[in-house]
Amino acid sequence: TTSLPYDCEAGYDNWEQGWSQGKKDWCCSKVGRACDPYDCNAGLATAEATWLPAKKTWCCANKNMACTTTTSLPYDCAAGYDNWEQGWSQGKKDWCCSKVGRACDPYDCNAGLATAEATWLPAKKTWCCANKNMACTTTTSLPYDCAAGYANWEQGWS
């Protein structure tokens, strides 16, 4: 009696990880066991364009081959944030606001606050004052000058 080079029953529960390539090839060709449904090496260089979705899914899940990578985000909301008001496109402002909560206001009221009176456009001053209570210009005088007549306040003030 001649013994077979491989026992295709032994270790079949873990054939993909536990068997040598030689045993896989022999058992597949001789007894139809341990056959991969796809040859993941065939056409690997053009897998994205030429493989069927089922083959891509199987090869990725079972062989970690031809796995689709995730796409990058359309905008980097950290890049250029110091100058988002002037430097970002409206599309980037809208995307970053809706996705990560950055650049949601039409103006960055903290940027240039120290020189707001001289450098800000009127629209920015108006918006920041109305919405953030920042860079508001006081145009009315106070109703009383509390320093005037203070020395004699008890007799002189009404």
Side-chain angles (χ1 to χ4, degrees):
T1 335
T2 316
S3 66
L4 299 174
Y6 299 104
D7 178 357
C8 298
E9 294 298 320
Y12 183 71
D13 294 353
N14 188 34
W15 70 269
E16 285 192 314
Q17 301 300 320
W19 287 7
S20 68
Q21 191 60 49
K23 183 174 180 178
K24 290 176 189 177
D25 294 342
W26 192 89
C27 289
C28 180
S29 67
K30 302 297 183 201
V31 294
R33 295 207 80 179
C35 300
D36 288 339
Y38 302 102
D39 179 359
C40 298
N41 290 307
L44 181 59
T46 59
E48 190 60 38
T50 60
W51 286 7
L52 295 174
K55 181 175 180 178
K56 287 182 203 174
T57 301
W58 191 91
C59 289
C60 180
N62 294 282
K63 303 290 184 178
N64 199 26
M65 296 172 75
C67 299
T68 304
T69 58
T70 58
T71 57
S72 61
L73 297 175
Y75 299 104
D76 178 353
C77 299
Y81 185 69
D82 291 342
N83 187 37
W84 69 266
E85 186 181 328
Q86 298 299 318
W88 287 8
S89 68
Q90 190 60 48
K92 182 172 181 176
K93 289 176 186 176
D94 294 345
W95 193 90
C96 289
C97 178
S98 68
K99 301 299 182 193
V100 296
R102 291 193 110 178
C104 295
D105 294 333
Y107 301 102
D108 180 354
C109 298
N110 289 309
L113 182 60
T115 60
E117 188 60 39
T119 61
W120 285 9
L121 296 173
K124 180 174 180 177
K125 289 180 196 175
T126 301
W127 192 91
C128 289
C129 180
N131 294 280
K132 302 290 184 177
N133 198 28
M134 297 172 76
C136 300
T137 306
T138 305
T139 57
T140 58
S141 59
L142 298 173
Y144 300 101
D145 180 356
C146 297
Y150 179 71
N152 190 29
W153 73 272
E154 290 179 338
Q155 277 18 11
W157 288 359
S158 55

